[in-house]
Amino acid sequence: MMGHQVEVAQLFYEFSLERHVPSGHLLRRIDRALDLSWLRAELAPFYSSTGRPSIDPELMIRMLLVGTCYGIRSERRLCDEVHLNLGYRWFCRLGLDGAVPDHSTFSKARHGRFREAEVFRRVFERVVGSCMSAGLVGGEGFAVDASVIKADASYAQRVEGPTLPPERSDPDRARRPVREYLAALDAASAQAGETTVVDGQPERLATEPAPAKALSLTDPTAAWTSKGSLKVSFAYAVNTLVDLRRAIVVDVEATPARWSEEVASTPVMIERTRRRFGLTPSRLAADSAYGSGQLVGWLMGRGIEPHVPLLDRERQTKGMLTWAEFSFDRSRDLYVCPAGHEMTTTGHVVPGGLKQYRAKPTSCGPCALKPRCTTGLARMVTRNVHEDEREHVRQLAGTPAFKKSACERRKVEMLFAHLKRNLGFRRLRLRGPTGAGDEFLLAATAQNLRRLARSLVASAPTCGPAPA
């Protein structure tokens, strides 16, 4: 006989959220690992002492972490889910009757107090500190890599060339992402002439990126790129620095999806990790995109072994004599070609940290090797100012430690796979470098919390049912 359920109205219910959240639930495990008791004290200077009470900042952070952990990308949908889901309510300390804030509250807080106080950066660093206390961070070996995330910028809303139209370049009328882009241009032009000295040679602080082929009218900082699996579109790169012991993210940086910007972010993250946590690795693992002479020299100057395949194009000579066939005389700072002619330098270092050595046209003209050497008047070769460090890396390439680092750096790629597949980070919601940075910091915080929660459960004694 077919059953039929009849709703029976009751006047009183005895219900406890605490009993309805399983002891092994992800949010219960994360709650044990998350400590936000410091948050209100640090945010207090950014709130007025009078007026109507605001939405609790801890509630907003907990809701954003729920959305990040479960791939809820829309804050409007996040508010609906927290309103309906008992586990989300328990984690956010809302009880059964607590009111869920309006979705617009997050935008106001993010662009105001949260950004002024760098809340997402502080939450991330507190979680990293908890991972260090739990023994998940070794500090001996780091790995770095970048992954491309599509920006919230339309393919159609773009202008060709590296310059915004005049009506979009007025900071007084421009939107926040455009203002951030214009401010970055001003800062870059102010530092354009600055140089530093490395091994007695002047060197630029950073490699100048090539002029942009196209700019987005809504988010001009995003790079017009076809990197990764993307078709041509605007995108940012999430640059991630990972400790190799348990794949804990120790720093993250948002940059336009350009190779030069990604490589330049590595020293920034390493220095920030040293200042904030006192961690300086003895080795850094990365792929060949990070094998530039400038980065290798910077790492070795700080006692960090670069376990990085070199970015070397010495064999790309279209059938001509390669750079390796020229011998270098260190005492006289010159090259000697295979025919015995000397090649001298002016000492000028071109962008990229390269010194040029040229032969005399009178030497190359009658030389029998000229058809195999050059099609110009005289042959030129370049030498990186960090060539000694590069030679050291070449000697490291076959060692067991180098091969081990090559395997371990795959942990960064697994984090990227989890970021895109499980957390839904295939396209950004927020615009501008600060918006991208906020999203990347929240994602890294969620990934670290999951690993921290798993380690705390593994080290804790077997638990019974959830407390009443």
Side-chain angles (χ1 to χ4, degrees):
M1 182 175 65
M2 181 182 295
H4 180 67
Q5 180 176 344
V6 179
E7 182 180 0
V8 180
Q10 291 183 335
L11 294 177
F12 302 100
Y13 287 90
E14 183 181 351
F15 187 88
S16 171
L17 271 180
E18 190 71 32
R19 289 201 303 266
H20 278 73
V21 179
S23 60
H25 194 277
L26 173 63
L27 290 181
R28 188 179 284 278
R29 291 188 280 121
I30 288 179
D31 186 66
R32 297 191 193 105
L34 180 63
D35 177 21
L36 294 175
S37 59
W38 54 271
L39 182 62
R40 295 185 186 89
E42 291 207 8
L43 280 176
F46 298 91
Y47 284 83
S48 173
S49 58
T50 60
R52 189 178 64 176
S54 71
I55 302 296
D56 187 352
E58 181 176 344
L59 168 61
M60 287 191 282
I61 294 297
R62 285 181 174 271
M63 287 182 64
L64 289 172
L65 287 175
V66 167
T68 305
C69 288
Y70 287 94
I72 305 174
R73 303 288 291 142
S74 166
E75 287 166 358
R76 188 187 296 268
R77 183 184 158 216
L78 174 62
C79 293
D80 293 339
E81 294 290 338
V82 171
H83 178 74
L84 294 172
N85 191 294
L86 295 179
Y88 297 171
R89 279 186 165 272
W90 174 86
F91 181 77
C92 295
R93 310 289 195 263
L94 284 172
L96 289 174
D97 300 325
V100 177
D102 187 78
H103 65 89
S104 62
T105 306
F106 294 96
S107 297
K108 294 177 182 177
R110 180 186 298 111
H111 297 312
R113 299 181 180 96
F114 281 9
R115 192 151 289 162
E116 293 171 9
E118 297 185 328
V119 165
F120 298 117
R121 169 69 61 181
R122 292 180 181 236
V123 172
F124 167 76
E125 290 177 352
R126 290 277 182 160
V127 172
V128 173
S130 299
C131 293
M132 293 173 64
S133 301
L136 303 183
V137 177
E140 184 271 333
F142 286 176
V144 66
D145 206 349
S147 186
V148 179
I149 309 290
K150 265 183 102 171
D152 184 28
S154 171
Y155 177 95
Q157 294 294 316
R158 74 184 193 279
V159 291
E160 302 297 330
T163 307
L164 288 173
E167 64 272 14
R168 296 276 183 164
S169 302
D170 185 1
D172 297 330
R173 294 185 299 171
R175 294 186 176 182
R176 179 188 54 81
V178 178
R179 292 198 304 271
E180 292 179 355
Y181 171 74
L182 297 174
L185 287 182
D186 293 339
S189 62
Q191 298 176 356
E194 294 186 12
T195 57
T196 186
V197 176
V198 178
D199 295 334
Q201 298 294 336
E203 179 184 58
R204 295 191 66 83
L205 288 173
T207 302
E208 292 288 341
K213 295 181 179 179
L215 290 179
S216 168
L217 295 175
T218 53
D219 190 355
T221 306
W224 180 246
T225 182
S226 59
K227 289 186 63 176
S229 60
L230 300 179
K231 296 180 180 179
V232 180
S233 61
F234 294 104
Y236 282 91
V238 49
N239 300 276
T240 307
L241 187 66
V242 172
D243 182 84
L244 291 175
R245 173 178 287 183
R246 296 288 294 275
I248 296 297
V249 181
V250 293
D251 203 0
V252 66
E253 182 80 5
T255 63
R258 299 187 187 95
W259 170 77
S260 59
E261 303 273 2
E262 294 167 10
V263 174
S265 71
T266 303
V268 174
M269 292 190 290
I270 292 176
E271 281 297 302
R272 186 161 51 207
T273 304
R274 180 188 61 80
R275 292 194 310 268
R276 303 293 175 89
F277 307 112
L279 296 176
T280 300
S282 59
R283 59 189 173 99
L284 178 75
D287 58 29
S288 58
Y290 296 83
S292 66
Q294 286 179 304
L295 182 58
V296 166
W298 186 91
L299 291 171
M300 293 193 63
R302 284 150 183 81
I304 303 173
E305 287 282 346
H307 289 184
V308 184
L310 289 179
L311 190 63
D312 216 337
R313 298 184 176 93
E314 64 180 42
R315 302 292 176 185
Q316 300 177 11
T317 58
K318 299 182 180 179
M320 298 294 184
L321 294 176
T322 66
W323 166 83
E325 296 177 76
F326 294 74
S327 58
F328 182 65
D329 189 336
R330 187 183 304 275
S331 61
R332 295 188 294 167
D333 190 22
L334 55 81
Y335 272 95
V336 179
C337 75
H341 302 301
E342 294 182 352
M343 307 173 67
T344 58
T345 179
T346 61
H348 178 66
V349 179
V350 300
L354 300 175
K355 289 176 65 176
Q356 297 177 339
Y357 295 79
R358 294 181 182 273
K360 295 179 180 180
T362 54
S363 300
C364 289
C367 183
L369 295 178
K370 184 179 179 182
R372 296 174 47 212
C373 188
T374 181
T375 57
L377 292 177
R379 176 63 188 263
M380 181 196 70
V381 295
T382 58
R383 179 179 176 85
N384 199 295
V385 294
H386 300 291
E387 192 59 40
D388 293 339
E389 291 86 347
R390 285 161 52 87
E391 184 59 35
H392 177 74
V393 174
R394 289 190 186 96
Q395 296 174 3
L396 287 175
T399 62
F402 193 96
K403 295 178 181 179
K404 178 183 177 183
S405 295
C407 294
E408 288 181 329
R409 65 179 170 83
R410 297 174 187 170
K411 295 179 180 180
V412 192
E413 297 171 1
M414 290 190 290
L415 286 172
F416 291 150
H418 180 267
L419 179 74
K420 295 180 179 181
R421 178 177 296 179
N422 297 69
L423 304 186
F425 273 76
R426 297 186 181 275
R427 184 187 179 99
L428 292 171
R429 290 188 310 105
L430 307 179
R431 294 173 179 170
T434 54
D438 290 347
E439 290 203 63
F440 295 157
L441 283 168
L442 272 174
T445 303
Q447 291 179 317
N448 285 346
L449 279 172
R450 292 170 73 100
R451 292 186 180 275
L452 178 60
R454 191 181 304 124
S455 72
L456 293 180
V457 169
S459 61
T462 305
C463 300

